[in-house]
Amino acid sequence: MRDIQAHDPNRGRWIPWIFVGGMAVVVAVNAVLITQAIGTFTGVTVGQAYDRGRTYNHVLAEAARQDALGWTLNTRMEGGRLVVNARDRGGAPVRGVLEGHMLRPLDGERVALTEAAGGGRFTLELPELRAGLWEFRGMLVSEQGERHDIRQRFTLP
């Protein structure tokens, strides 16, 4: 006769714990992924995107109006200043007032700038800005009331 070992009820007790441990790993990984998904970039770059898309013809009309002015704008940084040169269609300087702010697109930080009046050359003093990508958003208003939007991106070291 064969030697039959006695049945040991404790022998397979660890097997259900393998399934419990596997599920615990899945739950832990999902918790990390959910936390990261909630705490990072939402993917939305424009508030009310649908409404803005429906009114895009107004954006095109405004761009056409600004193009019709025939102004040439040159925006650059010189040291700690932002310099904007503005010329009309005939090459004459555009006299008026420039107002605007610096915007950091990554986190939405906004730094207001004092307005500058001038005759073709406008100089805005910049405060100390963090390194990275910044966008100047300004409005140049001529003495006749004509308006021109300015958007220029700069990368600061």
Side-chain angles (χ1 to χ4, degrees):
M1 264 203 136
R2 275 186 355 200
D3 199 11
I4 299 177
Q5 291 182 347
H7 175 68
D8 183 9
N10 293 329
R11 186 171 160 202
R13 274 207 167 143
W14 58 273
I15 294 174
W17 290 107
I18 290 176
F19 293 104
V20 171
M23 288 306 293
V25 169
V26 169
V27 168
V29 169
N30 283 339
V32 169
L33 292 176
I34 290 169
T35 303
Q36 289 296 315
I38 290 173
T40 57
F41 180 60
T42 64
V44 177
T45 58
V46 176
Q48 301 173 343
Y50 177 73
D51 293 331
R52 293 212 34 193
R54 289 185 57 212
T55 60
Y56 191 64
N57 286 337
H58 297 293
V59 173
L60 295 176
E62 178 63 18
R65 185 197 62 78
Q66 289 186 169
D67 287 344
L69 289 174
W71 291 0
T72 303
L73 301 171
N74 180 5
T75 306
R76 67 184 183 283
M77 288 205 174
E78 291 180 359
R81 296 183 310 256
L82 183 74
V83 178
V84 176
N85 289 314
R87 303 278 179 214
D88 66 9
R89 187 181 317 278
V94 176
R95 300 190 59 79
V97 176
L98 175 67
E99 57 187 32
H101 62 274
M102 295 296 285
L103 177 71
R104 189 172 166 93
L106 181 65
D107 57 13
E109 180 181 348
R110 183 179 166 164
V111 177
L113 303 175
T114 57
E115 67 180 37
R121 180 179 168 93
F122 304 89
T123 304
L124 299 170
E125 294 294 326
L126 294 175
E128 188 68 31
L129 298 173
R130 293 186 293 153
L133 181 67
W134 288 86
E135 181 176 82
F136 171 67
R137 292 187 178 182
M139 176 70 70
L140 177 58
V141 181
S142 73
E143 291 177 336
Q144 292 77 26
E146 299 166 318
R147 305 170 75 81
H148 199 293
D149 288 325
I150 304 170
R151 289 190 181 204
Q152 179 71 44
R153 288 195 171 187
F154 298 97
T155 303
L156 301 178

